[in-house]
Amino acid sequence: MDKLGQHISQQFDEELEDIRNRVMAMGGLVEQQLSDALMSLSDIDAELAEVVITNDYKINAMEVAIDEECTQILARRQPAAGDLRLVIAVIKTITDLERIGDEAERVGRMALHFAETGGESKMLVGISHLGEHVRGMLHDALDAFARMDTSAAIRVAKQDAKADREYESILRELITYMMEDSRAIPNVLDVMWSARALERIGDRARNICEYVIYLVKGKDVRHVSLDQVEAHARSKTDDD
C-alpha cells in the first residue's frame, strides 16, 4: 500500500495527499529539533539549546494546522475504510510528533542548565549513544509511514527494547556518579531527565510504527507483543 486509492473527486485525493505530505514536513522539523537538542547537550552549547527551546512553537503550530485539516476532511468527506484509517493515523502520528518535539525541548532545557552549571562532558557519553539510537528510530519510523511499509515499521518497533536497555544502563552509571560525588547530583539529574526524555522518544517512534500497521492492515496493535504485531502485519487487511 504505497499509494492512496483514487477517488471520483480529485480534490479529495489531493486533500489526503496533502495531509500525508504535511505529516512528513512536521516530521522533518521534529527530526531537526531532536538533532539540535542532542548536539546542544553533547557540545554543552547553550546558544543552540536556546534555539531548540525557542523553535518548539513551530511544531505546536503544525500540529494544530494538520489536526484542523483532518477535522475538515472528516466533516466534509466522511471517509470510510482505508481513507478513514489514514486520517486517524495522521491525527495520532502528529500527536506523537508534537510530544517528541516536547521531549526535544526538554533535552534542550537540560542542556542549557547543564551548560550554565558547568557540567562535565564525561557524563554524556552514554546519553549521546542513546540519542543517536532514538533519532535513527524516529527517522526510520517516518520513512515507514511515508512508504506505508509494515515490514520496516516492525523493524523499528523492535529497536525500542534496545533503547530501553540503554536507558537502564545510563541510569545505573549516573547513580554511581552521584554516590561517588554528591556535588555532581544537580548535573547528574539534568542528564538523567534528558535520558528519560530520549527513552520516551523511542516509545513515540514505536507508536508511529504501530499506526503504520493500523493504516495498512486495519489492525490495532497497541498493547500487544511484538510477535503479535508481526503476525498482524503479515495478515490481510480488514478491507480484503
Side-chain angles (χ1 to χ4, degrees), residues 113-125:
H113 187 253
F114 196 77
E116 291 173 344
T117 56
E120 298 181 36
S121 59
K122 67 179 182 179
M123 296 181 186
L124 303 173
V125 176

Side-chain angles (χ1 to χ4, degrees), residues 68-202:
E68 176 62 25
E69 185 173 0
C70 289
T71 300
Q72 292 297 321
I73 290 174
L74 290 172
R76 291 197 312 267
R77 303 295 185 182
Q78 297 182 347
D83 298 331
L84 178 59
R85 292 203 303 272
L86 172 63
V87 177
I88 292 173
V90 165
I91 292 171
K92 290 178 177 292
T93 297
I94 62 173
T95 298
D96 274 291
L97 286 175
E98 189 276 331
R99 288 172 180 170
I100 290 173
D102 287 345
E103 299 296 355
E105 182 197 15
R106 186 167 289 110
V107 173
R109 290 188 182 280
M110 293 302 102
L112 180 61
H113 187 253
F114 196 77
E116 291 173 344
T117 56
E120 298 181 36
S121 59
K122 67 179 182 179
M123 296 181 186
L124 303 173
V125 176
I127 199 170
S128 296
H129 191 273
L130 174 60
E132 289 303 313
H133 181 71
V134 299
R135 182 169 64 173
M137 285 182 65
L138 173 60
H139 177 82
D140 292 344
L142 289 169
D143 185 61
F145 183 93
R147 294 186 290 110
M148 299 187 186
D149 186 337
T150 57
S151 296
I154 290 170
R155 287 195 297 271
V156 177
K158 288 182 175 179
Q159 294 175 24
D160 187 41
K162 180 180 178 182
D164 292 341
R165 291 194 298 271
E166 289 190 20
Y167 170 64
E168 291 167 2
S169 176
I170 290 169
L171 289 188
R172 288 193 295 270
E173 183 177 347
L174 292 175
I175 289 171
T176 300
Y177 276 124
M178 289 191 290
M179 291 174 65
E180 291 177 349
D181 185 1
S182 61
R183 294 171 299 179
I185 289 177
N187 287 328
V188 169
L189 289 176
D190 284 339
V191 180
M192 191 174 289
W193 284 117
S194 297
R196 178 58 175 156
L198 294 175
E199 189 272 335
R200 286 175 175 169
I201 289 172

